[in-house]
Every structure is written in structure tokens, then in C-alpha cells.
Amino acid sequence: MALGFGFRCGFLGLLHMEIVRSGWSANTTCSSSRRLPPSWYRAVKVDGTVQEVDSPPGLPEPVELDHIGGADHPRDDPPAGEYLGNVLKLCEERRGVQRQMKFVSATRVILEYELPLNEIVLDFYDKLKTASRGYASMDYEFLRFQRSNLVRLDILLNGDKVDALSLIVHRTTPTRRGRTSRSGFGS
């Protein structure tokens, strides 16, 4: 409501988004903002009740909250051998847990990682393609809700909380996520 009238639009990737945004800017005087696509969480209250949450405003108050579980996905990434280090580093930076590494040939590796969904929804695929110079691909499936150290990051606009800009982030990253364009909003 704080952002006024508008519409939501999804994109195939960051390049697609930039092309549409540049066309939008060239042909209109309206500004645009972006935010993260929704992810799924399970909020477990102190009394033991479980609440399915798909956005930060849906979270119970912190005093009622025992913990938050984010959806984990196993990941299969077959990068070319020379880019393996870059792909491993990317998965580790995104709080991934390696489950398997299988060398199919001298130049092909299959990696299986469990990664939190909220770490991959915005730009993981683009970063994976960059880290492997386009050779890596990925497949995913829902695995389970995993207990995680998550918090709600509220964004204030003129001192008022704007629910549309709020995020659910890992406790170690709210400052970085709130100050950078990776947080899901920007110019």
C-alpha cells in the first residue's frame, strides 16, 4: 500500500529483467522497484503450533516465535572440471551443504548440494552460469523444511515500515542484504 498503484511482473532471469526495465525507463516516466520472489517458510511458535509463511508480514511476532524453517532443495550441478572451484565456492557462500561429488568424466562433475530456497531464488542461476562460464546447469526439488537461524528484515520508508520491502534473511546477513541491491529492491 505504501508504494501506491502498480503491478507485479516476473522475469526469466536478471538479463531479461534488465532488458524490460531499460525499455520501461526509455518509454515511460514511471519508476520501478524490484523485490525478491516469495519463498516458503514454516514458523514454529513457542506453543508448538506451526504456521506456513510466504512473506515477512505473515511471521508471528518475535516473542511468539520459537524458530523459522526455510525450504531446502537438493541441487545437481554438473560444471566443467576447471570451474569446479568457482561453483563450490558459490554453493558454500549460499549456505549450501555438499551431499555428493561424482566425477563422471575428466571434464564433468555432478555435485549434489542442499541449499536454502531463499539463497537461490534471486540470482543463484545467473551466478552459477557466471562461475562456470555457462557450462553448469542445475536441477532442483523440494527436500524438506529445515530449521534455520532466520530473522525478518524490515525496511523503513520515512520511518514507516513497508511490508512490501520486508525480507526474511539469515541472521548473519541482514546488514549486507539491507544495504545492497541484492536485497531485492533498488533503483
Side-chain angles (χ1 to χ4, degrees):
M1 297 295 289
L3 300 177
F5 296 107
F7 64 93
R8 293 182 182 199
C9 181
F11 300 101
L12 299 173
L14 293 178
L15 178 61
H16 183 232
M17 181 184 70
E18 288 304 320
I19 291 169
V20 170
R21 284 182 76 188
S22 66
W24 176 270
S25 299
N27 295 313
T28 68
T29 58
C30 299
S31 61
S32 64
S33 64
R34 65 185 172 118
R35 65 176 298 253
L36 290 170
S39 186
W40 298 278
Y41 302 92
R42 279 205 176 135
V44 179
K45 294 182 178 181
V46 175
D47 65 6
T49 58
V50 176
Q51 181 179 341
E52 301 273 332
V53 178
D54 68 350
S55 66
L59 280 176
E61 291 300 316
V63 294
E64 300 173 353
L65 192 61
D66 181 53
H67 69 273
I68 305 169
D72 275 359
H73 291 262
R75 183 96 35 236
D76 295 322
D77 301 320
E82 63 187 277
Y83 305 113
L84 180 60
N86 295 338
V87 174
L88 291 172
K89 181 179 176 191
L90 174 64
C91 290
E92 296 297 322
E93 287 173 351
R94 298 297 177 99
R95 299 187 294 124
V97 177
Q98 187 181 89
R99 295 295 177 210
Q100 181 181 8
M101 181 186 310
K102 181 171 38 173
F103 287 87
V104 179
S105 69
T107 59
R108 189 171 164 148
V109 178
I110 296 178
L111 296 174
E112 185 177 313
Y113 266 87
E114 288 182 14
L115 288 149
L117 179 62
N118 67 345
E119 292 288 343
I120 63 171
V121 291
L122 180 62
D123 63 351
F124 182 82
Y125 187 71
D126 292 327
K127 298 261 187 214
L128 178 64
K129 286 296 187 180
T130 300
S132 67
R133 301 256 175 119
Y135 286 105
S137 63
M138 78 178 199
D139 186 20
Y140 63 92
E141 64 186 49
F142 173 77
L143 183 60
R144 67 179 171 275
F145 283 93
Q146 177 73 31
R147 183 175 181 155
S148 189
N149 197 2
L150 302 172
V151 294
R152 180 173 61 198
L153 171 64
D154 289 323
I155 304 298
L156 304 179
L157 184 63
N158 292 329
D160 296 325
K161 183 169 54 170
V162 180
D163 288 338
L165 298 178
S166 296
L167 304 165
I168 297 175
V169 298
H170 194 265
R171 188 173 296 277
T172 62
T173 63
T175 302
R176 178 179 55 89
R177 295 290 295 269
R179 290 184 181 184
T180 65
S181 62
R182 286 190 59 216
S183 64
F185 56 93
S187 57

